[in-house]
Amino acid sequence: MSYSSGGPDESGRRRKVHGMLKLYYGLDEEGKISEKSQSLDPCDINGPHFDPELYLNKLRRECSLAELMDQETCMVKQIRSLDSDMQTLVYENYNKFISATDTIRKMKNDFKKMEDEMDCLSANMAAITDFSANISGTLQDQHAQITKLSAVHTLLRKLQFLFELPARLNKCLELKAYAQAVSFHRRARCVLQQYSHLPSFKGIQDDCHAIMDMLAQELRQRFRDGGTSAKDLSECVELLLQLDEPAEELCDKFLSHARSRLEADLQGLEAEIRPYPTAVKDDSARRSSAGSPTDSSPKTSSLPSPTPNTDILEFIDRGCNEFVSSLCLVIASYQELFISHAQTGELASKNIPQMANRKLHVFVDDLAAQYFSLVERRIQEEKGVSDNSLLVRALDRFHRRLQAVSKLLPSSTVPNQGTEIVIRAATERVKQYLAALQSFYMDSLTDVRQALAAPRLSVAGGTGSGGGPHLGGGATSRDAPNSLPELLSILSASILNQIKSVLASVHLFTAKDITFSNKPYFKGEFCSQGVRESLVVNFIKFVCQSSRQFCESAGDKGGSTPPALLLLLSRLCLDFETSTISYILTLTDEQFLVQHHSPVTPVTILCTEAREAAQKLLNHYVKVQGLNISQMLRKSVETRDWVNTIEPRNVRAVMKRVVEDATSIDVQVGLLYEEGVRKPHSSDSSKRTFSVYSSSRQPVRYAASYTPSAPMDTNLLSNIHKLFSERIDIFSSVEFNKVSVMTGIIKISLKTFLECVRLRTFGRYGLQQIQVDCHYLQMYLWRFVSDENLVHFLLDEIVGSCAHRCLDPSPMEQSVIEVICERG
């Protein structure tokens, strides 16, 4: 009972009533005796050494009267509270005390009865023991006689079995119960061998040997005939092994019999590969060789090559259901007979499993090689690329069924060889798709060339090789059914759609439900090197390289390639560089989850190659168009007598043709390329004059140039003028805009005109005709170039060279030239 002298203990008030007893007996909350040290203070009211007298004396000395009265009041309250708690505790546990008393009384009665029963049981057990000892002593002699008689009976039964064994074996032979006969003989063989020195047992042994020889001969005959089922064959082999037949010979015979069955299945498969007569094959080959290149493209398969009666999936199904299933059955039976069974019993010491396993591997590898050869031949016949699902499903089924061989024969290389066949088939399929894409691209270019050559194609679609009608500057493409932008859009869209279609077909090889797609090769090497590099990257390179080949047909007229085709291909390659290549490769990487562990071609290299191809095509286009116009100018200069020509009254028709062609080319290039940047034009660009007295050549210079006394001075002045002129690179690379292209074409044309003028001799009217032609050209050509001064300079050089080559340099008045040109 814990109470303090200084007032009520708040923690004691919060304790439950049931904890009072624990506190009284000195127990903690868990019911264990508290190990707290006991207080030795006699004034500690809670300690065991409490002394009331000392406590009261201490209070009287230390406390005042009021404190003593408060202490008394507090102690009275605590006493009352303790009495109340004790009463409550007694009331709550009264029924439990009564119940515990009744339980104890009942237990005393029950234990008394149990003691009586145990005493009775002990007496009964002692009586039973005495009776059992009396019975054993009485029957001991009879028990020994019974045991002896039982042993004799067992021996007699064994002897009876031995004496009846020949008859039993003959009966089993009659009933063809060969397994039972072998079992009987094996049970008696050791006994007969042990007692073979006795005449009676010797006779039985000889009879059994003769009968078992007949049985072995019968089993060998059944084994050689091979007309039995696989179960019967297995039983024959097992019985012969139990009859101590040579295991190696049995292995060879078993495998030879199985080989005949499996080779029959292979012959049936080979018949599926060659269903057509030779004449039909030759006719088909002639028809396929005479077909167009579009026959092998994904978009058309009107003349497919002859295929067998069964498709590839049916062929693989038949091979798996017949050959592979039979092979697995042979492997399982062979292992059960010669490997698993030979590791137990009497055969365990003969090292049969090693020999049998070696023969099995040679057997499986040989037949699998024949089967794989047929499968590869059948896969090679799948040339069409219109549908890829059957081939993928067939390869998947082929790969799945070979996994059964790997489970039965883990050390066999057959599954790996099958995987290599799948890999080669997938790689070959990718090559076929690449060839189909290339063929499709070339066919598309052929269609574009035909569209460009169509008579309905206006100037918006391009010009020919330099001939044909040309429209003026007001020509548009509204009447053209296939303008260059439309052709470019159709060509780009068809190429992109074809690539997407091919990728969708190839993606079947990596589908999640395809077993071999989970192999490391198809997750890495096939996706990165097979699809991305061998298919997509090679096709992009093919587009660039085949486009560049159009620039290799050198000649005065640029070969047979239409200039419009060169322009269109240059724009196509430029679009490849800007967007198409990145889009295609990103699409490929996303679809096939390409992991760039192995080295792959970066996008930048392909974009650079495409841009170089576009640049080369555009340069070649400028060269071809410049040479076409140059050819007209050259003929116009070389076929005219410039010394004896008449006084000019009109602009020559060839100059009008040059302006018309330049206008047509300008419209054509503008359909595919942006305008470009021009230098600011002067206000009198169309009024610039080109005569021997032009602003760049002073009259005094030309007056002195054509007098016999000072030819060297004039040439010196001309050369000095050229030194301070800006150098013009005629065949420099052009930029990808209309102004740069037209500038290049006009530079080539005017340079050719200049060189032709330098090789001719002119009369008075010849010089005036050149003045008129150059002024006419100046009126129109300055609009097409980036810097009008370039046209002015070249035309100035032409007039100046003509004046140098003139016998009577008498220039025409500028006003007359303008009248003639405006009238022309």
Side-chain angles (χ1 to χ4, degrees), residues 1-11 43-46 55 59 71 74-75 78:
M1 293 178 292
S2 176
Y3 292 96
S4 63
S5 60
D9 190 359
E10 294 299 330
S11 61
C43 295
D44 184 6
I45 196 172
N46 294 321
Y55 181 69
L59 288 179
Q71 185 70 20
C74 179
M75 189 171 295
Q78 290 180 357

Side-chain angles (χ1 to χ4, degrees), residues 477-728:
S477 60
R478 63 178 180 272
D479 297 328
N482 293 319
S483 64
L484 280 179
E486 293 175 352
L487 289 175
L488 176 63
S489 176
I490 293 173
L491 179 61
S492 300
S494 61
I495 292 175
L496 191 58
N497 291 334
Q498 199 68 13
I499 292 176
K500 290 181 179 179
S501 175
V502 167
L503 289 179
S505 299
V506 178
H507 191 262
L508 295 176
F509 283 99
T510 59
K512 293 182 179 179
D513 57 341
I514 304 300
T515 55
F516 57 78
S517 66
N518 297 322
K519 297 295 180 181
Y521 172 80
F522 279 87
K523 283 189 175 181
E525 193 71 14
F526 177 76
C527 293
S528 62
Q529 298 298 321
V531 179
R532 189 185 190 275
E533 295 296 311
S534 300
L535 181 61
V536 178
V537 172
N538 283 350
F539 176 68
I540 293 174
K541 290 182 178 180
F542 172 79
V543 171
C544 298
Q545 293 170 1
S546 61
S547 300
R548 291 165 69 101
Q549 290 176 357
F550 287 102
C551 303
E552 297 175 0
S553 55
D556 294 338
K557 295 184 179 181
S560 60
T561 304
L565 181 61
L566 297 173
L567 184 65
L568 187 144
L569 290 178
S570 70
R571 185 66 206 190
L572 177 67
C573 292
L574 186 62
D575 291 342
F576 266 56
E577 185 262 339
T578 55
S579 61
T580 307
I581 292 177
S582 299
Y583 174 76
I584 293 174
L585 292 181
T586 302
L587 180 66
T588 304
D589 294 344
E590 291 176 352
Q591 285 189 0
F592 292 88
L593 301 176
V594 176
Q595 300 175 358
H596 297 166
H597 297 314
S598 55
V600 294
T601 305
V603 179
T604 54
I605 292 180
L606 295 176
C607 292
T608 301
E609 186 173 349
R611 189 173 186 86
E612 290 176 354
Q615 186 68 63
K616 187 174 182 180
L617 286 164
L618 194 59
N619 291 342
H620 192 63
Y621 173 79
V622 171
K623 180 180 177 182
V624 170
Q625 293 288 40
L627 291 178
N628 288 337
I629 297 177
S630 299
Q631 187 70 11
M632 293 188 296
L633 293 172
R634 180 183 295 110
K635 290 181 179 179
S636 69
V637 174
E638 293 176 351
T639 57
R640 190 180 182 93
D641 184 4
W642 295 98
V643 177
N644 300 318
T645 185
I646 61 175
E647 184 178 1
R649 291 290 181 267
N650 293 301
V651 179
R652 287 190 301 154
V654 67
M655 299 302 164
K656 299 179 181 180
R657 179 66 178 275
V658 168
V659 173
E660 291 176 357
D661 283 2
T663 304
S664 177
I665 295 171
D666 181 74
V667 173
Q668 185 183 75
V669 176
L671 294 174
L672 298 180
Y673 285 100
E674 292 76 13
E675 180 70 20
V677 179
R678 302 177 187 268
K679 291 185 178 180
H681 298 300
S682 61
S683 59
D684 59 344
S685 297
S686 60
K687 301 298 183 179
R688 176 75 180 267
T689 60
F690 289 94
S691 66
V692 292
Y693 301 110
S694 63
S695 59
S696 62
R697 302 177 186 270
Q698 299 300 326
V700 178
R701 173 187 171 189
Y702 287 102
S705 298
Y706 299 102
T707 58
S709 61
M712 296 302 295
D713 296 338
T714 308
N715 292 333
L716 180 61
L717 292 174
S718 177
N719 292 331
I720 292 174
H721 175 72
K722 291 180 180 179
L723 288 175
F724 289 96
S725 300
E726 184 179 357
R727 182 179 179 273
I728 300 176

